[in-house]
Each structure stands twice: as C-alpha cells, then as structure tokens.
Amino acid sequence: MSIPKKIALGLLGLLGLVLVIAALRPASFRVERSLLVNAPPDRVYPLLADFHRWTAWSPWEAMDPAMQRNYSGAPQGLGAAYAWQGNDKVGAGRMEIIETAPPPAGGSARGGLKIKLDFLKPIAASNTAEFKLDGGSDGTTITWAMTGPSPYVARLMGLFFSMDKLVGKDFEAGLAKLKAEVDK
C-alpha cells in the first residue's frame, strides 16, 4: 500500500473516531454559575422577574446598544416575555418566564424563576434558563443556569469548543453586573 493511501486511511479512521466520540457525548448540556450578593432575595428577585430591568445587568446589552427589544405578556413575573434582535454577537430570540417563586420579604428565604429561552439567530435552539435565589445570613447566593438539548452537531462542536466556557463567562459577567446593581 502506498504512503498516500495509508495517510488517507489514517485520516478516515481519525475522522470516524471523532464522529463516534461525538455520538457518545451527552445529549443535553448544563451551564451554571453562582455568586453571593450582600442583599436578601426579595431585593434581587425584581431585577430578574422584570425584563425591562435586564438592561442594567445583562451581559449581552453592552454587546449591541442598538439592539431592538420587544416586551409582551405580563409586565413582570409569570408570562412576561422579551424578544430581541441585534447584531451577530447577540443574535435574535425570545424569552418567556414560565415559572416563578417570589421570595418572601426580608431575611433568609428561597426564590427564583424559570425562563423558556428560544434562540432564532445565529443558531436556532430552545433552552431553559433558571435563576435560583438562596438567602442566608451572609446574603443571597444567585445561581444562573441554562440547560438544553445537545443535538449531534452541537456534540461534535463540543469536542473543540466548550459551551460551559463560552456561555459561562457571560453568566459570570452578568452576575457581577447584577451584584453591582443590587449593591446600589
């Protein structure tokens, strides 16, 4: 067998191995970050449950100041919806709050909300975002998570790009901005 044929067979074998490894990766993903803020959950919750207030802390707002926003449904909380269309960095999509657990006023308590998150551009995807608020004597731990299906193409791309690293850094930036907003 000639050297070019051996190289071609080796490359085909390597490609096959990559495709098999991708097929064996998990069929879903989860990205999660947490941050402690010096405020009770009932001070944090309104910044999450009202999409109009996301402009103050969302990490994607600064990526496209000309982004078009459309608010619909309830003004805040369950049923509130927010659609956006922007540049290549923010894309286009829609969010709707589908579950709420407002924390009681004052002190240590738990609360949170769940959001149906549909991306339209640059890549269509349907995911779920969650915010959990866990109040304690030292403040509130805010946990921001996103989960969703990982189709084969995403699993293949995941061999070279980490969804956790790509989205996680935005969650960290958003939580830091949210902390600054709560501390005002």
Side-chain angles (χ1 to χ4, degrees):
M1 188 180 301
S2 70
I3 291 178
K5 282 186 181 180
K6 287 180 183 178
I7 291 172
L9 284 174
L11 289 175
L12 280 174
L14 185 60
L15 177 62
L17 180 63
V18 167
L19 295 174
V20 168
I21 291 171
L24 297 174
R25 292 179 52 88
S28 63
F29 74 91
R30 180 175 182 87
V31 176
E32 180 179 301
R33 295 293 188 273
S34 296
L35 184 69
L36 179 66
V37 298
N38 189 23
D42 65 318
R43 274 204 23 230
V44 177
Y45 183 81
L47 295 168
L48 304 174
D50 183 350
F51 287 131
H52 296 91
R53 297 184 74 180
W54 281 44
T55 57
W57 63 266
S58 171
W60 296 285
E61 291 292 327
M63 291 180 191
D64 184 4
M67 180 170 43
Q68 296 174 13
R69 298 165 191 85
N70 181 30
Y71 303 96
S72 61
Q76 63 187 29
L78 190 64
Y82 168 77
W84 75 93
Q85 185 163 348
N87 62 21
D88 292 343
K89 292 180 182 178
V90 298
R94 183 178 186 278
M95 300 188 287
E96 181 177 348
I97 299 175
I98 58 172
E99 285 182 28
T100 58
S108 63
R110 290 185 172 200
L113 51 88
K114 191 176 281 190
I115 299 169
K116 181 179 187 284
L117 178 57
D118 294 316
F119 295 101
L120 305 173
K121 291 179 183 176
I123 297 172
S126 291
N127 300 317
T128 301
E130 278 183 274
F131 289 92
K132 291 184 181 177
L133 305 174
D134 190 11
S137 60
D138 55 348
T140 300
T141 299
I142 306 167
T143 301
W144 186 0
M146 182 171 67
T147 58
S150 190
Y152 182 76
V153 172
R155 288 184 265 166
L156 184 61
M157 289 174 49
L159 293 173
F160 308 100
F161 303 100
S162 168
M163 181 72 137
D164 187 76
K165 287 181 183 174
L166 289 172
V167 177
K169 65 180 174 56
D170 291 333
F171 281 14
E172 291 165 8
L175 287 170
K177 284 182 167 185
L178 186 57
K179 178 180 174 62
E181 192 65 22
V182 168
D183 289 344
K184 283 185 177 178

